[in-house]
Amino acid sequence: MKAEIRNSLYEQAKEWILEAGARIRKQMRDPLVISIKSNPQDLVTTVDEETERFLAGKIRELYPDHHLISEEGFGDNLNSMKGTVWLIDPIDGTTNFIHQRRNFAISAGIYHDGIGEIGLIYDVMGDCLYSAKKGEGAFKNEERLPQLREGAMLERSVLAMNNKWLIPNPVVQVEKMEELIRTVRATRTYGSAALEFAYVAEGIVDGYMTIQLSPWDIAAGIIIVNEVGGVTTNVFGEHVDILKKNSILVCNKKIHGRIVNDFILEGKK
């Protein structure tokens, strides 16, 4: 993608996402209509749906030749990343949105022929935008984020991971996850994959690993983390297929190999 096209697309996407965030904030005191999707932990609200409808409408009106992958049913059914593809999560962290009214984000990644060009993660209640354009660095609002620490050590690292790793799961033995937790300095859980990617990019946490994320959960974060020198793979250290669900490890390159080799592959089922 040419730089002038990328810049124009970035400015338009940023405008829409900030507008969508403002619309959500105006509805925060309104009663929520909540539905259960696949299970009681998989929730959706009318605000999720309205936000996705708003963004999808804007994209289709101005960029009718672009494609859309999204969570709440307004996207396309794609089997290829050819062309320009937007991957959108209108509210990443819906449970936080419902219970806390904070700690959720709008996430949008824009890819062209499979290459991540633009990433935007908007902390709606914090009014904080994490963003990146390919090859131009990553930013928190207008402040450029530094490259991730070269000298990171696993024993001094803070790792974002949820407690699903500590119950029987299809990925890795629980005992190896317990060993990993004992090895790192601390663990944290924030409840929004998009924000956890952003926090890795900012250096608030040194890594994030989770079970089974969808394309819209990770698309923006991958681009932003790439721009500060981080790495994103599946938990086995393999390339991420952006069109499929993946168990994800995103972190400082310094600790990536050790987590994969010493804990994931050693405990692989």
Side-chain angles (χ1 to χ4, degrees):
M1 181 180 286
K2 293 182 179 180
E4 57 269 26
I5 296 175
R6 186 189 303 118
N7 291 338
S8 174
L9 195 55
Y10 169 85
E11 292 299 332
Q12 186 61 79
K14 176 182 174 181
E15 177 184 319
W16 289 340
I17 284 172
L18 293 178
E19 183 178 350
R23 290 163 60 99
I24 291 172
R25 286 193 296 271
K26 287 181 179 179
Q27 301 177 71
M28 288 304 291
R29 295 188 179 277
D30 296 344
L32 289 176
V33 179
I34 304 167
S35 302
I36 295 174
K37 294 195 286 186
S38 61
N39 60 68
Q41 289 76 45
D42 187 11
L43 304 174
V44 64
T45 73
T46 51
V47 180
D48 295 71
E49 295 169 342
E50 289 167 6
T51 302
E52 185 168 301
R53 184 184 295 109
F54 167 78
L55 292 170
K58 294 288 188 182
I59 294 165
R60 297 195 192 286
E61 180 180 6
L62 194 58
Y63 303 111
D65 58 331
H66 290 190
H67 304 292
L68 173 63
I69 297 174
S70 54
E71 184 171 13
E72 307 304 345
F74 295 92
D76 304 306
N77 184 17
L78 300 182
N79 55 22
S80 166
M81 290 293 286
K82 186 177 180 179
T84 301
V85 181
W86 298 59
L87 297 97
I88 289 178
D89 194 339
I91 296 182
D92 184 84
T94 298
T95 300
N96 290 351
F97 172 68
I98 293 168
H99 288 272
Q100 303 173 5
R101 304 298 175 102
R102 66 187 67 207
N103 299 322
F104 62 90
I106 301 172
S107 178
I110 304 175
Y111 286 64
H112 183 71
D113 290 340
I115 296 173
E117 297 282 352
I118 296 165
L120 297 159
I121 296 172
Y122 184 44
D123 178 347
V124 174
M125 301 311 292
D127 191 21
C128 179
L129 180 68
Y130 296 87
S131 65
K133 290 180 279 184
K134 183 177 179 294
E136 298 185 30
F139 293 80
K140 179 182 180 182
N141 292 330
E142 303 304 319
E143 179 182 355
R144 188 183 183 100
L145 297 176
Q147 294 291 292
L148 298 181
R149 293 183 294 125
E150 290 286 339
M153 294 177 57
L154 188 60
E155 288 78 5
R156 299 177 183 175
S157 296
V158 177
L159 189 62
M161 58 187 297
N162 63 39
N163 57 15
K164 289 184 179 179
W165 291 106
L166 297 178
I167 58 177
N169 66 77
V171 180
V172 67
Q173 297 170 14
V174 169
E175 292 78 11
K176 295 304 292 186
M177 290 298 94
E178 292 174 345
E179 184 181 341
L180 175 60
I181 290 169
R182 288 193 297 269
T183 299
V184 298
R185 174 167 285 169
T187 60
R188 296 289 183 267
T189 299
Y190 297 97
S192 163
L195 289 179
E196 286 169 298
F197 265 89
Y199 296 162
V200 172
E202 190 178 357
I204 291 175
V205 295
D206 299 286
Y208 168 51
M209 57 184 294
T210 191
I211 300 173
Q212 290 295 299
L213 291 180
S214 297
W216 47 80
D217 295 316
I218 63 177
I222 290 174
I223 298 167
I224 294 170
V225 169
N226 282 350
E227 289 298 313
V228 294
V231 59
T232 305
T233 66
N234 70 17
V235 292
F236 304 116
E238 302 164 340
H239 173 74
V240 173
D241 184 341
I242 199 69
L243 287 175
K244 296 180 179 179
K245 285 189 173 184
N246 294 271
S247 294
I248 290 292
L249 172 62
V250 52
C251 60
N252 192 308
K253 290 179 181 178
K254 186 76 173 180
I255 66 173
H256 181 271
R258 189 162 170 212
I259 293 174
V260 171
N261 294 321
D262 292 358
F263 300 97
I264 302 297
L265 294 182
E266 283 289 323
K268 184 178 179 179
K269 292 184 175 179

